[in-house]
Amino acid sequence: NAMTFHTSKISRLLPLTGAIAAAVLLSACGSMMSSPAKSMYSQDSLPDSIKVPAGNKVAMETVGVGEITYECRDKANMPGQTEWVFVGPKAVLNDRSGKQVGTYYGPPATWESSDGSKLTATQLAVAPSGTGNLPFQLVKANPAMGSGAMTGVTFIQRVALKGGVAPAAACTTANKGERQIVKYQADYIFWKAAYTTHTRSPAQRGLPPGGGGFAATMRSLFSRGPAACTPCPTPLAILTTKPLWP
């Protein structure tokens, strides 16, 4: 009868769905094992004052290559004394493959993406990075102008510095107003909020660690072992449980 036919059909489907589930799980594991390890940026070795707070993630890594202009000027509130004063930077921003993705210039210090979006920032901290090098720097990004790669940037770190300090040449009243250009290089690491109202964390969405989706559900189930569920759901039940794709 119809009931017998329906039950028979379901029983034939169970091995198939189980095989599909196993294949998907093995495929996911295989791809993770075979994928070469990608070098991830880490701020662990940086001074604490330069570290970006939790709740943010790296959005873009760039290498700034360019120059900084200094001018010989009077020292503030010190009549008759002079010093080299930072005027502004001019650099190209390249990605890790060497392709230009933006520019950095000032004043005011401005980071501009090749897509036209740009931003300025407020300095939060600096820390020594070695003799002859500009200091490490952490800035808090102001709201971006335009829509693009700079949209949503929260912090920018200046790290991996080479050169850029004031000229060694004399700065006196005799050459006051003279400008000199110094070459430099630095990595600019752009950070954005890890989760926004549009990309909430798995916990915020009521999902297991690792997020939702079929593969995540299977990982969560199998990682906990047989004791995780009594009785454990069949592959068909897992496939039909909602929501699997939030």
Side-chain angles (χ1 to χ4, degrees):
N1 57 29
M3 179 61 72
T4 301
F5 174 76
H6 180 72
T7 303
S8 175
K9 185 176 180 180
I10 291 295
S11 62
R12 290 199 305 271
L13 281 173
L14 287 176
L16 176 61
T17 55
I20 293 174
V24 171
L25 185 61
L26 289 173
S27 175
C29 292
S31 63
M32 288 189 288
M33 293 175 63
S34 61
S35 298
K38 182 181 178 181
S39 178
M40 299 294 289
Y41 170 77
S42 172
Q43 60 175 351
D44 291 347
S45 62
L46 295 176
D48 289 342
S49 62
I50 306 301
K51 292 179 180 178
V52 172
N56 296 275
K57 64 180 180 179
V58 174
M60 179 169 57
E61 300 179 33
T62 66
V63 180
V65 181
E67 57 194 36
I68 293 174
T69 299
Y70 288 89
E71 183 175 320
C72 182
R73 298 178 182 174
D74 289 324
K75 284 187 177 181
N77 303 317
M78 300 183 71
Q81 298 189 41
T82 54
E83 65 179 349
W84 290 108
V85 177
F86 181 97
V87 175
K90 181 181 179 183
V92 296
L93 299 177
N94 301 322
D95 64 16
R96 292 302 190 191
S97 68
K99 176 184 176 182
Q100 183 174 348
V101 293
T103 53
Y104 174 54
Y105 55 88
T110 303
W111 294 261
E112 182 169 347
S113 169
S114 297
D115 60 23
S117 59
K118 59 184 178 180
L119 56 78
T120 58
T122 302
Q123 180 173 287
L124 297 180
V126 293
S129 69
T131 304
N133 300 327
L134 289 172
F136 293 120
Q137 183 186 49
L138 175 66
V139 300
K140 183 174 178 59
N142 297 320
M145 294 165 276
S147 179
M150 296 299 173
T151 304
V153 169
T154 52
F155 296 92
I156 305 172
Q157 287 173 319
R158 183 178 69 190
V159 298
L161 293 123
K162 297 178 182 178
V165 297
C171 169
T172 67
T173 54
N175 66 331
K176 190 168 63 175
E178 177 185 336
R179 290 193 170 192
Q180 288 203 15
I181 292 175
V182 177
K183 301 293 184 182
Y184 92 107
Q185 180 175 314
D187 286 4
Y188 291 95
I189 312 299
F190 296 82
W191 295 70
K192 295 185 179 183
Y195 299 110
T196 68
T197 54
H198 299 292
T199 57
R200 296 174 299 160
S201 69
Q204 290 172 323
R205 288 180 285 162
L207 300 171
F214 176 78
T217 301
M218 295 300 290
R219 285 196 301 270
S220 177
L221 176 64
F222 284 102
S223 65
R224 290 177 291 171
C229 51
T230 307
C232 285
T234 65
L236 181 60
I238 293 172
L239 287 173
T240 57
T241 299
K242 296 183 180 181
L244 283 179
W245 293 271

